[in-house]
Structures are given as C-alpha cells and as structure tokens.
Amino acid sequence: MQLLDEGATIPFVARYRKEVTGGLDDAQLRLLEERLGYLRELEERRTAVLKSIAEQEKLTPQLKADILAAETKTALEDLYLSHKPKRRTKAQIAREAGIGALVEALLADPARDPETMAGEYLNEEAGFPDRKAVLDGACQILMETWAEDAQLSGQVREWLWQNALLKSNVIAGKEKEGAKFADYFEFSQPIRKIPSHPGPGPVPGA
C-alpha cells in the first residue's frame, strides 16, 4: 500500500520489491491494487452517507450499525436509498394527496376491493380525479417503498443472479442489418454465467 501510494507501478513493485511483497507477481499485485481502490472508495462513500443521513437527523443507532457493517457499495447504496435527497416523485405527490392511507388499509386487509376503496380518496385538485388515478398513485407508493427496502432489494438481486436469463432475439426483417451480431439472434444464457467484462467478439458460451 505504501509503495503504491508513493507512485510505484505494479511492474516495478513485482520486479524490484520482492522482499516487501513476499514475491507476489504482477497479477496478484494488480488484484490487490484493485481491491484496495474499491475498499477506499467504499469507505469514502460510507463517510458521505453517514454525514448526509446525520444532517437529516435520521441516523438511528441501528441504521448506523447497518451502514458500518455494509461490505459492498451495492449494500451501502441500498441502505442509503430511502434517505437519499431526491426530487419530488409521483409517490410523494400521491402521499401528499392522502393516498398513503389507502395503501396502508389495503396492506392491512388484502381481501378488500382496491377499486371500491379508491373511490374514497378522489382528489381532483391534487391530480387524482378518478379511481384509476388513485390506484396508479397507490402503485407508485408501493413501488417506491419496496424499491427502498434494502433487505428486499438484496433478496431480489440474489434471486435474479441465481435464476434470471439474459435473452436476445433478432427483430424480424433486420437479419441483414444485424449480421455481425448473428451470434445473438437467438441468444439465452444465465446471468450468473456471463462474464462481467467480455472482450471483443461473442460472449463465451454463446
């Protein structure tokens, strides 16, 4: 770490500083350099997230502990998402119109009819003049709520990683224009098996 911070290159360290590294080769040192950069960026972002939430006076002991325990940038951003300053969303507009109460009522009793209940929350002045608009607003609230749930986001991401397929098909009549992508005219592969950084040419296994 010290050598890299002082500006030494990987080839230089690998060749001339074997006594410091224990004989690590270029590939091993490059992996360590990448990991070091990632961890430093993670800690820098963690500090910024903690500061932002603290300034909003929303940093609870449990949330702070979760943020400090986050081992990846993705996990950290999942925790920050619901506290990230954002522009006025459709979900926020729906909440301001009182539709949040409808969402809570439906979640508490899923057997109730949403369309019937929506009639109780009409608010033309706020942009919800009919049942459809009210239900659309309720959907926006649900989508935002679920998207900002760090645990749920992690579970969905893991499920997709284990089960999702990436598929592509050629558009009918476009075979000639897309000839150089013929390998992907009828392509399907599990996401977890696709390399993160494929080189030029077809994805291995295509």
Side-chain angles (χ1 to χ4, degrees):
M1 289 170 59
Q2 182 179 344
L3 287 168
L4 293 173
D5 288 343
E6 290 173 351
T9 65
I10 293 296
F12 174 84
V13 175
R15 177 171 296 185
Y16 300 110
R17 291 294 183 266
K18 293 182 183 295
E19 77 285 356
V20 177
T21 67
L24 296 177
D25 61 26
D26 287 51
Q28 293 169 317
L29 288 169
R30 205 165 299 282
L31 285 173
L32 289 173
E33 181 186 37
E34 292 174 359
R35 183 61 178 164
L36 174 62
Y38 181 92
L39 290 175
R40 284 179 167 171
E41 290 173 3
L42 175 61
E43 290 309 311
E44 183 178 352
R45 182 58 175 162
R46 193 193 315 274
T47 299
V49 167
L50 287 169
K51 180 180 178 182
S52 173
I53 299 177
E55 289 175 347
Q56 299 174 50
E57 299 183 353
K58 295 179 179 179
L59 187 61
T60 65
Q62 183 59 56
L63 178 57
K64 182 176 182 180
D66 290 342
I67 290 173
L68 291 174
E71 297 182 352
T72 66
K73 294 178 184 178
T74 300
L76 180 61
E77 293 302 329
D78 284 347
L79 291 167
Y80 184 42
L81 185 58
S82 61
H83 303 283
K84 184 181 296 185
K86 51 181 175 284
R87 290 177 292 182
R88 198 157 170 258
T89 64
K90 293 180 179 179
Q92 184 178 347
I93 294 172
R95 288 191 182 95
E96 292 170 357
I99 298 175
L102 170 61
V103 174
E104 293 175 6
L106 289 172
L107 289 175
D109 185 4
R112 301 182 69 177
D113 179 51
E115 189 166 355
T116 299
M117 293 183 64
E120 302 173 15
Y121 295 87
L122 301 182
N123 188 333
E124 187 169 357
E125 184 177 342
F128 301 92
D130 52 43
R131 287 181 169 84
K132 182 181 183 305
V134 171
L135 292 175
D136 286 345
C139 287
Q140 291 293 332
I141 292 173
L142 285 171
M143 287 189 292
E144 185 172 277
T145 300
W146 290 334
E148 293 178 350
D149 185 321
Q151 182 178 3
L152 178 60
S153 294
Q155 291 172 342
V156 171
R157 189 179 298 109
E158 178 62 23
W159 187 92
L160 288 171
W161 179 251
Q162 295 298 332
N163 299 280
L165 295 174
L166 178 63
K167 293 185 176 183
S168 64
N169 297 93
V170 65
I171 297 175
K174 296 292 184 179
E175 291 82 359
K176 185 176 181 179
E177 292 92 325
K180 65 179 179 179
F181 301 109
D183 288 337
Y184 304 103
F185 280 4
E186 292 186 18
F187 174 75
S188 177
Q189 190 171 19
I191 286 179
R192 68 180 183 277
K193 293 185 178 180
I194 297 177
S196 298
H197 302 285
V203 175

